[in-house]
Each structure stands twice: as structure tokens, then as C-alpha cells.
Amino acid sequence: MGKKKSKSGDNALARNKKAFHDYTILEKIEAGLELRGTEVKSCRAGSISIADAYVKIENGEAKLHNLNIAVYDHGNRFNHDPQRVRRLLMHKREILRLASKTQERGCTIVPLRFYLARGRVKVELGLAKGKTHQDRRDTLRRKQDERDTQRAIAHHTR
């Protein structure tokens, strides 16, 4: 019998915190990832860097660029290229819909997190619009105000 993870536990392998700072996420989409054997093992070990990754739609296929999956330690000659372009597994109509939305000014597709679902590596993509410098300041100010309010409420209820 294998171990079962609790439903409340998060099974994220990697998160892109920078994306939430730099972009306003308009929509979230789940996609599969075409990986090689050593890439899957490296992902399970948590050796993923997605800070500068982005999705580009080329010839009707969605491809993930600038994703770094580290070389698997025990992979010998069968190891993969860590920076290779990886194809996303999505339905054709989803790809076409995303392609039309990215034609809009300032929209892009960025990976938000990688996680395991039934033993498969999945990626959560976000349709994002870039924030201006002022928008980033407003977001930080709003978060700080919320923290201050929560502290005041917690202090008052004691």
C-alpha cells in the first residue's frame, strides 16, 4: 500500500512568486507537460526553476521557454538538456483561445506553479497582464494595510 497525501496538503513542486509581483493574473489554466524520464525524476526532487519562464504559441502548439529543470544526479548518458523548450499538452481550442488573448496588448502566459496530480507533473499557467511601477506600489501598499488591520484586530481581541 502506498502512502496517501491528505487533500489539504499542497503538492506543489515549484512556485513562481515573481509572477504575482510583476503581473496581474487574469485567468488560470491547467496544462500537462511533455517530459523525459530524467526530467520527471528531477521534478519530483524539486529541482525546477521557473522564475523567467514564459509560454509562446508557435505553429498551433504551446511551448514553455526558459524553464530550467536541473540535470538528474543519477541520469548518466540519458540525461536531458536543462534549458530545452518543452511542449505543453492542451486541447487545440484552449491553445487557440489563449493565442487570441495574447494578441491583446500587454498579455502574456506565465507558469505559476508546478505540481503533481495522480503521478503526473502538471503546470498551472496564468494569463497575465504586466503591472506598471505604480500598480506594484499600490499592491504593496494594500498588502501592508491589510497586515496592519489584521494585527490591530488580533491585538484588540486579546
Side-chain angles (χ1 to χ4, degrees):
M1 293 230 172
K3 292 182 190 176
K4 288 191 175 184
K5 289 188 179 180
S6 65
K7 297 259 183 202
S8 62
D10 189 20
N11 52 0
L13 301 171
R15 294 182 183 281
N16 191 355
K17 294 178 185 176
K18 186 179 173 186
F20 291 99
H21 181 262
D22 293 342
Y23 300 101
T24 302
I25 307 300
L26 306 173
E27 185 181 338
K28 292 182 180 179
I29 305 110
E30 180 185 71
L33 205 57
E34 185 179 75
L35 297 175
R36 300 206 172 115
T38 56
E39 288 176 324
V40 175
K41 292 177 182 184
S42 191
C43 284
R44 285 178 178 269
S47 305
I48 309 171
S49 173
I50 60 175
D52 298 324
Y54 63 95
V55 175
K56 199 174 188 181
I57 297 177
E58 306 165 335
N59 302 326
E61 292 182 341
K63 296 190 178 184
L64 192 56
H65 293 264
N66 280 2
L67 173 69
N68 187 4
I69 298 178
V71 173
Y72 184 59
D73 292 337
H74 308 294
N76 61 38
R77 69 175 190 234
F78 300 111
N79 252 326
H80 59 278
D81 175 24
Q83 287 286 339
R84 79 178 183 89
V85 176
R86 292 164 181 93
R87 192 168 65 127
L88 294 172
L89 305 174
M90 301 169 72
H91 290 285
K92 193 63 124 179
R93 67 178 176 275
E94 289 178 318
I95 295 172
L96 292 173
R97 188 175 59 81
L98 287 176
S100 68
K101 290 198 176 197
T102 55
Q103 298 301 320
E104 296 175 23
R105 191 178 148 269
C107 280
T108 187
I109 307 168
V110 293
L112 302 176
R113 73 182 179 112
F114 281 81
Y115 58 96
L116 288 172
R118 294 184 303 250
R120 310 230 188 251
V121 178
K122 299 283 185 174
V123 59
E124 184 178 87
L125 302 172
L127 184 65
K129 197 167 195 90
K131 286 185 182 177
T132 63
H133 190 66
Q134 187 62 38
D135 290 341
R136 290 187 195 134
R137 282 184 179 173
D138 292 342
T139 303
L140 290 173
R141 192 174 300 120
R142 202 174 313 116
K143 282 184 182 179
Q144 185 62 42
D145 290 344
E146 287 175 15
R147 275 191 226 114
D148 293 343
T149 306
Q150 291 298 323
R151 279 192 201 116
I153 291 171
H155 181 68
H156 183 68
T157 57
R158 285 189 206 172

